[in-house]
Amino acid sequence: MIDLRSDTVTKPGPGMLEAMFSAKVGDDVFREDPTVIELEEKTAQKFGMEDGLFCPSGTMANQIAIKAHTQPGDELLCDALAHIYNYEGGGISFNSGVQAKLLQGNLGRFTARQVEENINPLQDWLCRTALVAVENTVNRAGGSYYNLAQLKEIAEVCKKNKIRFHMDGARIFNALTETKENPAAYSLLFDSISVCFSKGLGTPAGSVLIGKKEFIRQARRIRKVLGGGMRQAGFLAAAAVYALENNILRLKEDHQRAKRLAEVVRSLPFVESTFPVDTNIIIFSLSDRIKPEDFTDRLAQNKIRVSGFGKQSIRMVTHIDFNDDMLGKTIEVLKNLPM
Ligand SMILES: *Cc1c(COP(=O)(O)O)cnc(C)c1O
């Protein structure tokens, strides 16, 4: 089976499993798991941040950040395509009592000017704008990314207006693979970043939320309230430490395979349009005469799985368990689909 539905479908290889089996663990709610502490420190250091918090999922890491940065009745600014708004079960309002003002960005990326124009002045009858959240890379827009200069402009607007700045970095290493920027430069811009290990980095679970010491102290308390305090989580953290050391440089391969797949997809007569493919996500739409279910069924008959992504859209995501042989087979099947 070739599974292109998501970069979350990967399974740990022998090196990662070995690291997990031999992890030193303890009760992390008591702060006694050395591997969790190692992962939190290493992730924070990489981005020049003071401290980190290991969370069961990217959703929880984002939701904890939103809760820590806001008060009920506040507003946050994010793009209309943002994961925190679209795919976290309404958590912004459920967990934090906060509402979202949606910005219409370019492929999921908005500008400093748009932020400036959407900050509410301080009036009793207006929502307090408390937080700006960017997503990097943007899942819903085919893995587009920001560069540091764009983020710096937004950060300056946030600082000037005393607004917190969060990055949903579920695929931050995919972005950094392309920009070749130093992750440590991010610490000057952001109050918090969530970094996911179960996407491109290929671990079974987990995200690390990073920020200043005081923020992480507050975040740790919120994690417990949300039910995310884990005990011998070092077995999972060990996979993430292994991924930090071994699975970042190889992301370039995923991007190259995605670009090759995109070229083929664009050449298919029944494909109407394709998002630019900047990293590892290919989103395209089928012409009206094709039912998306028929397309996905035909691929499934050839042992290839992709996801329907709303209306006529299809998403394919390359990852560590998708190799060159599978790329060759997928291209052959796509080119010969009787549609
Ligand atoms: C996957 C993802 C998350 C986190 O999702 P979980 O499934 O909860 O780990 C957050 N943001 C983006 C952009 C994502 O793609």
Side-chain angles (χ1 to χ4, degrees):
M1 188 57 89
I2 296 175
D3 200 340
L4 290 165
R5 286 172 303 164
S6 174
D7 43 6
T8 55
V9 300
T10 60
K11 296 185 183 139
M16 187 179 282
L17 279 176
E18 177 50 38
M20 295 171 77
F21 270 125
S22 54
K24 290 198 180 64
V25 299
D27 187 331
D28 184 53
V29 173
F30 297 154
R31 302 297 292 139
E32 287 171 5
D33 190 304
T35 313
V36 170
I37 292 170
E38 180 190 358
L39 172 66
E40 291 171 343
E41 283 175 356
K42 282 193 165 149
T43 311
Q45 267 165 22
K46 218 174 179 53
F47 289 86
M49 290 286 202
E50 288 177 8
D51 207 354
L53 181 71
F54 189 44
C55 301
S57 70
T59 297
M60 191 183 282
N62 285 331
Q63 292 297 324
I64 289 171
I66 293 166
K67 192 155 179 65
H69 290 314
T70 61
Q71 295 296 323
D74 285 348
E75 185 166 80
L76 66 76
L77 305 180
C78 66
D79 192 274
L81 301 180
H83 194 281
I84 58 166
Y85 178 76
N86 292 289
Y87 301 121
E88 299 188 4
I92 296 171
S93 60
F94 187 93
N95 296 313
S96 300
V98 165
Q99 67 186 37
K101 189 187 276 178
L102 302 181
L103 309 182
Q104 305 290 335
N106 164 26
L107 297 174
R109 298 158 302 185
F110 50 80
T111 63
R113 173 124 189 235
Q114 280 178 290
V115 172
E116 208 152 28
E117 288 169 354
N118 283 283
I119 296 170
N120 284 341
L122 290 172
Q123 298 284 11
D124 289 346
W125 53 91
L126 293 176
C127 221
R128 188 181 74 110
T129 311
L131 176 67
V132 171
V134 290
E135 185 172 316
N136 200 19
T137 69
V138 185
N139 174 24
R140 194 78 188 75
S144 58
Y145 56 84
Y146 286 90
N147 60 42
L148 200 65
Q150 296 165 315
L151 294 171
K152 199 162 168 228
E153 284 178 19
I154 299 175
E156 277 162 11
V157 173
C158 291
K159 282 210 174 73
K160 200 170 81 192
N161 292 279
K162 297 196 168 52
I163 294 172
R164 303 284 182 92
F165 193 20
H166 172 73
M167 173 154 67
D168 175 353
R171 295 189 180 82
I172 184 58
F173 289 112
N174 295 87
L176 291 167
T177 297
E178 294 302 315
T179 64
K180 301 187 177 69
E181 289 156 354
N182 177 3
Y186 281 45
S187 64
L188 299 173
L189 313 186
F190 290 96
D191 296 293
S192 57
I193 304 177
S194 61
V195 180
C196 191
F197 288 87
S198 62
K199 298 275 168 76
L201 296 191
T203 78
S207 280
V208 176
L209 179 63
I210 52 177
K212 291 216 160 56
K213 276 227 165 343
E214 175 55 27
F215 166 80
I216 293 297
R217 194 197 56 74
Q218 196 188 350
R220 177 166 287 115
R221 189 177 168 80
I222 297 169
R223 183 186 67 177
K224 192 73 179 87
V225 173
L226 296 180
M230 297 182 286
R231 303 296 177 171
Q232 286 71 31
F235 292 117
L236 287 172
V241 171
Y242 177 90
L244 277 180
E245 281 155 17
N246 296 281
N247 292 352
I248 294 178
L249 284 177
R250 60 154 308 286
L251 288 172
K252 189 76 200 166
E253 291 176 36
D254 294 346
H255 299 184
Q256 284 159 350
R257 291 187 186 110
K259 284 204 167 68
R260 178 73 193 105
L261 260 184
E263 279 170 32
V264 174
V265 164
R266 281 199 186 91
S267 74
L268 300 171
F270 50 86
V271 169
E272 192 89 359
S273 63
T274 310
F275 275 112
V277 176
D278 295 335
T279 52
N280 70 328
I281 303 175
I282 305 139
I283 299 176
F284 55 95
S285 58
L286 301 165
S287 62
D288 288 343
R289 67 184 173 83
I290 309 263
K291 283 209 189 88
E293 311 83 78
D294 291 346
F295 177 78
T296 52
D297 286 352
R298 285 261 163 78
L299 286 181
Q301 284 157 18
N302 286 283
K303 298 196 164 34
I304 297 171
R305 303 179 82 177
V306 300
S307 353
F309 214 51
K311 295 202 184 108
Q312 288 295 100
S313 291
I314 301 289
R315 188 184 76 162
M316 304 194 294
V317 188
T318 59
H319 51 70
I320 192 168
D321 288 349
F322 179 71
N323 60 29
D324 279 332
D325 285 347
M326 294 169 171
L327 174 66
K329 158 109 200 281
T330 307
I331 289 173
E332 192 189 305
V333 169
L334 281 171
K335 281 185 167 166
N336 293 299
L337 274 188
M339 311 219 62

